Amino acid sequence: MARLLQSEEDEVIGSKGVIKKVEFVQIIAKALYSLGYKKSGAHLEEESGIPLHSSAVNMFMHQILDGNWGESVATLHSIGLKDESTVKSASFLILEQKFFELLDGGKVMDALKTLRTEIAHLCASSNQLRELSSNLVSFSHDLRAKSRPKLLQELQELLPPTIMVPERRLEQLVEQALTLQRDACVFHNSLDREISLYTDHQCGRDQIPSRTLQILEAHSDEVWFLNFSHNGKYLASSSNDQSAIIWEVGTNGEVSLKHKLSGHHKPVSSVSWSSDDGKLLTCGVEESVRCWDVSSGECLHVYEKSGPGLVSCGWSPDGKSIFSGVNDRSICMWDLDGKEVENWKGQRTLRISDLEITRDGKQIMSIFKETAILLFDREAKSERVIEEDQTITSFSLSRDNRYLLVNLVGPEIHLWNIDGDINLVAKYKGHKRTRFVIKSCFGGSEQAFVASGSEDSQVYIWHRGSEELIGKLSGHSGSVNCVSWNPVNPHMLASASDDGTIRIWGLNSHLQQHKKLQQVHSNGGSMAAAYNGRT
Amino acid sequence: MTSSPSAMDVDPPNYDHVTINDSDVHSIVLSYLVHNCYRETVESFAASTGMNQPADYLDGIEKRKKIFECALEGNALKAIDLTEQLAPDLLESNKDLHFDLLSLHFVELVCSRKCNEALEFAQTKLTPFGKMQKYVEKLEDFMALLAYEEPEKSPMFHLLSLEHRQQVVDSLNQAILAQAKLPSHTPMERLIQQTAVVRQLLNQDHAKDGHPPFALKDFLNG
């Protein structure tokens, strides 16, 4: 193998001068060998004059694969390892292999001799020695020695990378770069996992919903709340017109009215989907909670208390119980038949207050003071509190239950980590709020975005990690009260407004498709009517 | 009682109620001597006290004595042979004992540095026991001895000791006697044990009076 001059050894390449040429070539050579291109690897070593391994290491590798144990241990000592314990551990691995190969070959006496004379003093503990010696009397006929290539791999992991280039190092470096690119991409919102190596990954804004695809006009008054179902196939909205509506999301993304749910005598402030999306809860402000069957639109039950009114609703994850905040500041839990199962008194909710329950059913979250949210663990019977410095108007829980998005009067939106220690992670600003309750939500691919309504009639979208405002969607003619991002389709967003409409937002590219579809359907009468959301 | 000159003489008034039969005492002493194979002492004691003992009594002692001597000096295989002669099927029904005796031979080979032989012996004679889980760990203990060039310095050195051999011999003795429908523990042993237990309980009750805990050695030394 050609020897390198000192100057060559220090040579650097790349625009920043931080890549050592020798290491660079060696990693490439290693990658070539890993891919199976032995000839190319050897050729590279020759042409560059940069050997992948020193001659001692090459010899070592051959000795291992050929089973020349004694010689390999000797070579080990001459490779230039500074750490005595590494030499010891590596010697142990090699001699252990010798021991097992002798046993597998039936040479028990030789194995015993190896154990006594060569291995015993290398053992880290008497237990290790005892384990090995127990192999001298075997109860099974399985082979005990691992394959020699596997031994070589284990030795490679043990030896420092300067002696032996680690396997797959080039792949690791490339993966690191790709991960960094993806995390830095503020508009990254694709389900598609393809990232090309040819250019730096940078999504354009075209992956973020930005165009109105549909306007749904079935409510007759301000629309206060909406939420997509877990499976993304339905959307439920609730309004000051005392009704709620279940919409269906068609396979090509068009939203049509499925059921109008009437029965409340007060404005409906919120809805909640059961985990299997088979039932929907609606909450009339300081009135009652109703449970509806999603496929038939039938009202299954009305939950109310004689006296106090209910202010919020939520499902237990197993679908067997319903939670509700009450305007006497308590929270109560009912079974499906309407029997009150549990009641948590004390200051727990305010008038019109959000309620969230974690997926494991253990924690219940509610706004219990103007500036604080209570996280109540009903199993451990313990409580944690998020204290804010401004009045809280609403909050929502992330899908992985580790984060809470809190809307403040500011207007500001705060992102809190609630997994383990509670701490403030990010703040989002820019939207407008003075009088109304505005709600925000997580959304997009891997919930990488935060979206919120705003009193200036726009939908605001921020990149969650970098807090950067990346979109303002205009179209509504009244305050946008609530937004919901389709959990299954990261390119679909819905917004509810005081102008009585719901807008479905999608990608620019989808708009072109949608327009074509509209043309097709307008030739088919009633389909077009349903499409526009009129009943 | 604040102080007692002799521990044994505590409560002398109580002792006066107990009568002791000479022949009982003789039986206790004799049974002890027989149990531990002190043949000559048995003969002379029996003669001095005028007790008669059947001839096969002495024969039994002689045979047991031979077995134990073999085992203690490291000739475990001979000990096994003799045991088989004296009490056939004993080892068959006492697997633990059988294993312990065989392992004595193994240890002997290891001590004489005949490692290859030891390994072979282990593979043929000891491995069959390994089918039962409780012997696997014991087996591993013995195999580990092979790995050391100086087994006396290994963590399992106690397996090489005289105490260990004595323990095995004691178990064997008890097993042989039990099979011959003789007591496996001497009355002497049991009496001393009883005394210790009773004294201990009594002392515990009086502990708050400042009595020290019971110590058999002190008691016997008066």
Side-chain angles (χ1 to χ4, degrees):
Chain A
M1 300 276 172
R3 281 283 206 96
L4 294 166
L5 299 174
Q6 186 62 40
S7 56
E8 282 179 338
E9 280 194 5
D10 294 335
E11 212 178 314
V12 287
I13 57 173
S15 56
K16 298 203 196 323
V18 293
I19 305 176
K20 298 199 186 74
K21 180 175 171 183
V22 169
E23 291 185 358
F24 192 62
V25 173
Q26 283 180 330
I27 292 177
I28 295 173
K30 188 86 186 189
L32 286 171
Y33 283 116
S34 298
L35 287 167
Y37 305 135
K38 289 203 178 74
K39 280 198 273 191
S40 302
H43 202 73
L44 174 59
E45 286 188 72
E46 205 197 306
E47 222 181 347
S48 64
I50 298 173
L52 179 54
H53 299 123
S54 67
S55 47
V57 170
N58 263 326
M59 192 161 67
F60 178 70
M61 285 166 66
H62 279 124
Q63 285 163 343
I64 295 290
L65 292 171
D66 290 340
N68 292 336
W69 311 119
E71 288 167 25
S72 68
V73 174
T75 310
L76 191 63
H77 282 89
S78 71
I79 277 181
L81 291 168
K82 296 194 184 77
D83 192 356
E84 264 308 303
S85 64
T86 313
V87 177
K88 197 170 165 188
S89 309
S91 305
F92 178 82
L93 273 178
I94 295 170
L95 291 166
E96 189 191 46
Q97 180 75 8
K98 178 180 175 185
F99 177 71
F100 282 127
E101 282 196 11
L102 284 170
L103 279 180
D104 287 342
K107 303 201 176 98
V108 190
M109 298 303 169
D110 289 336
L112 177 61
K113 184 167 170 217
T114 304
L115 184 65
R116 288 165 60 89
T117 55
E118 295 176 309
I119 301 182
H121 68 277
L122 288 173
C123 277
S125 68
S126 56
N127 267 337
Q128 204 179 34
L129 186 54
R130 190 197 150 102
E131 252 191 72
L132 282 176
S133 58
S134 67
N135 283 290
L136 289 166
V137 285
S138 68
F139 302 112
S140 75
H141 297 285
D142 298 336
L143 288 180
R144 277 157 291 207
K146 50 179 104 91
S147 72
R148 287 180 188 169
K150 179 109 193 359
L151 171 64
L152 189 56
Q153 200 185 328
E154 286 183 14
L155 286 166
Q156 274 179 345
E157 283 162 23
L158 192 60
L159 297 174
T162 44
I163 299 285
M164 267 179 138
V165 176
E167 283 290 331
R168 285 182 247 293
R169 182 60 185 156
L170 185 57
E171 287 169 19
Q172 258 182 8
L173 286 170
V174 172
E175 280 175 350
Q176 271 182 26
L178 292 179
T179 306
L180 277 169
Q181 282 174 23
R182 204 197 60 183
D183 290 345
C185 174
V186 153
F187 301 114
H188 187 78
N189 192 24
S190 20
L191 292 168
D192 212 350
R193 298 222 157 257
E194 269 176 37
I195 298 182
S196 167
L197 292 181
Y198 297 133
T199 51
D200 271 7
H201 178 72
Q202 181 63 254
C203 288
R205 281 166 184 268
D206 58 337
Q207 290 296 308
I208 308 295
S210 54
R211 294 269 175 263
T212 303
L213 297 183
Q214 265 186 276
I215 303 177
L216 309 176
E217 292 175 293
H219 281 295
S220 50
D221 204 327
E222 297 166 0
V223 188
W224 284 3
F225 188 86
L226 48 57
N227 200 8
F228 278 99
S229 62
H230 298 95
N231 58 11
K233 289 191 189 152
Y234 300 103
L235 176 65
S237 60
S238 70
S239 163
N240 198 20
D241 70 4
Q242 303 184 351
S243 77
I245 296 180
I246 296 178
W247 309 84
E248 189 163 350
V249 179
T251 39
N252 47 6
E254 357 143 6
V255 179
S256 54
L257 187 137
K258 189 173 160 75
H259 295 300
K260 188 149 186 177
L261 314 173
S262 313
H264 282 288
H265 297 293
K266 288 282 175 72
V268 184
S269 58
S270 62
V271 302
S272 176
W273 290 95
S274 64
S275 7
D276 64 358
D277 296 330
K279 301 200 187 77
L280 186 72
L281 292 177
T282 56
C283 182
V285 173
E286 297 194 73
E287 187 214 34
S288 63
V289 168
R290 284 176 177 249
C291 179
W292 310 81
D293 179 278
V294 172
S295 45
S296 66
E298 205 186 307
C299 178
L300 297 174
H301 202 96
V302 180
Y303 302 89
E304 52 196 349
K305 285 174 93 91
S306 51
L310 306 183
V311 300
S312 57
C313 59
W315 280 99
S316 72
D318 64 3
K320 294 188 185 149
S321 344
I322 286 164
F323 294 88
S324 171
V326 190
N327 68 2
D328 66 0
R329 300 190 172 212
S330 65
I331 293 179
C332 71
M333 182 169 132
W334 321 75
D335 69 12
L336 291 180
D337 300 321
K339 196 175 89 181
E340 200 175 305
V341 171
E342 240 188 292
N343 197 294
W344 293 276
K345 292 205 191 324
Q347 198 180 20
R348 287 174 189 281
T349 64
L350 298 179
R351 183 184 166 269
I352 304 185
S353 163
D354 289 325
L355 192 69
E356 292 271 21
I357 296 130
T358 50
R359 258 208 309 246
D360 56 9
K362 288 186 192 159
Q363 292 189 74
I364 302 177
M365 298 165 194
S366 57
I367 304 174
F368 80 112
K369 259 186 352 183
E370 273 200 1
T371 55
I373 294 176
L374 184 70
L375 293 93
F376 171 57
D377 187 325
R378 62 191 187 105
E379 200 182 70
K381 307 232 194 293
S382 61
E383 295 177 350
R384 296 189 294 167
V385 174
I386 293 182
E387 292 269 6
E388 277 286 6
D389 50 2
Q390 310 161 40
T391 305
I392 300 171
T393 57
S394 67
F395 68 91
S396 59
L397 188 59
S398 68
R399 198 156 52 218
D400 61 10
N401 290 182
R402 291 166 60 199
Y403 295 95
L404 214 56
L405 203 57
V406 181
N407 276 61
L408 303 151
V409 292
E412 244 176 67
I413 301 174
H414 287 179
L415 178 65
W416 289 83
N417 166 53
I418 57 170
D419 191 22
D421 289 333
I422 293 184
N423 62 311
L424 182 61
V425 173
K427 295 186 183 182
Y428 309 98
K429 300 181 212 197
H431 59 298
K432 304 282 177 281
R433 191 219 88 86
T434 50
R435 293 171 291 151
F436 308 129
V437 170
I438 301 285
K439 304 213 184 201
S440 58
C441 69
F442 293 95
S445 177
E446 296 182 44
Q447 299 214 310
F449 302 97
V450 167
S452 174
S454 170
E455 273 174 34
D456 64 7
S457 315
Q458 295 180 94
V459 173
Y460 280 70
I461 302 178
W462 296 263
H463 179 245
R464 179 173 154 182
S466 64
E467 300 176 353
E468 197 182 316
L469 179 65
I470 57 168
K472 284 200 283 192
L473 314 182
S474 33
H476 278 295
S477 50
S479 167
V480 177
N481 299 315
C482 184
V483 289
S484 178
W485 211 308
N486 190 319
V488 159
N489 179 355
H491 301 148
M492 181 186 276
L493 190 63
S495 57
S497 166
D498 274 354
D499 65 10
T501 69
I502 294 168
R503 281 188 178 232
I504 304 290
W505 307 84
L507 303 185
N508 212 0
S509 52
H510 288 167
L511 182 62
Q512 315 306 325
Q513 283 175 12
H514 248 79
K515 282 189 173 154
K516 286 191 188 152
L517 273 164
Q518 258 185 323
Q519 284 169 351
V520 168
H521 281 140
S522 61
N523 296 330
S526 58
M527 273 296 274
Y531 189 78
N532 277 325
R534 277 182 227 280
T535 40
Chain B
M1 310 267 172
T2 43
S3 65
S4 34
S6 154
M8 284 234 237
D9 278 341
V10 170
D11 302 339
N14 288 342
Y15 293 160
D16 293 340
H17 299 296
V18 184
T19 46
I20 300 177
N21 199 319
D22 265 356
S23 62
D24 285 340
V25 178
H26 295 160
S27 299
I28 291 172
V29 174
L30 188 68
S31 66
Y32 176 82
L33 295 172
V34 166
H35 184 102
N36 290 289
C37 305
Y38 297 121
R39 192 209 153 136
E40 284 156 18
T41 318
V42 167
E43 283 175 335
S44 78
F45 183 72
S48 312
T49 54
M51 294 175 79
N52 56 337
Q53 356 90 43
D56 55 344
Y57 221 169
L58 292 174
D59 194 39
I61 294 175
E62 201 48 51
K63 290 205 169 103
R64 276 188 294 128
K65 189 171 173 185
K66 197 86 181 77
I67 294 173
F68 306 144
E69 276 172 359
C70 288
L72 283 174
E73 65 192 29
N75 199 344
L77 290 180
K78 181 132 189 241
I80 292 174
D81 267 340
L82 292 173
T83 308
E84 289 284 308
Q85 282 174 33
L86 176 62
D89 300 333
L90 177 73
L91 294 177
E92 261 303 299
S93 34
N94 268 296
K95 285 267 165 233
D96 281 358
L97 202 46
H98 197 184
F99 182 85
D100 286 340
L101 283 169
L102 286 169
S103 53
L104 282 185
H105 181 73
F106 175 82
V107 163
E108 196 47 47
L109 289 172
V110 169
C111 285
S112 342
R113 304 288 189 262
K114 293 182 186 150
C115 292
N116 287 357
E117 259 188 72
L119 182 57
E120 247 188 271
F121 179 75
Q123 282 183 319
T124 45
K125 296 286 188 209
L126 294 179
T127 324
F129 286 87
K131 295 199 183 76
M132 289 176 61
Q133 189 54 36
K134 66 169 168 170
Y135 294 116
V136 171
E137 216 187 291
K138 283 188 176 186
L139 200 48
E140 285 179 3
D141 277 344
F142 286 105
M143 296 319 296
L145 278 174
L146 275 179
Y148 292 87
E149 305 216 87
E150 294 183 319
E152 305 81 29
K153 300 203 179 141
S154 76
M156 267 73 60
F157 67 93
H158 62 276
L159 294 171
L160 307 161
S161 67
L162 182 59
E163 283 84 26
H164 180 251
R165 291 206 286 282
Q166 186 64 55
Q167 261 179 358
V168 177
V169 158
D170 286 341
S171 305
L172 183 56
N173 193 16
Q174 283 166 12
I176 293 175
L177 289 168
Q179 213 206 35
K181 304 272 197 279
L182 292 170
S184 46
H185 295 273
T186 54
M188 176 85 83
E189 202 185 325
R190 287 295 187 231
L191 284 171
I192 296 178
Q193 285 167 337
Q194 276 201 5
T195 309
V197 168
V198 169
R199 275 281 154 204
Q200 183 77 348
L201 285 172
L202 289 174
N203 271 34
Q204 267 166 243
D205 286 344
H206 290 287
K208 54 187 188 302
D209 293 2
H211 282 242
F214 178 71
L216 180 62
K217 194 166 176 190
D218 297 339
F219 180 79
L220 292 173
N221 287 337

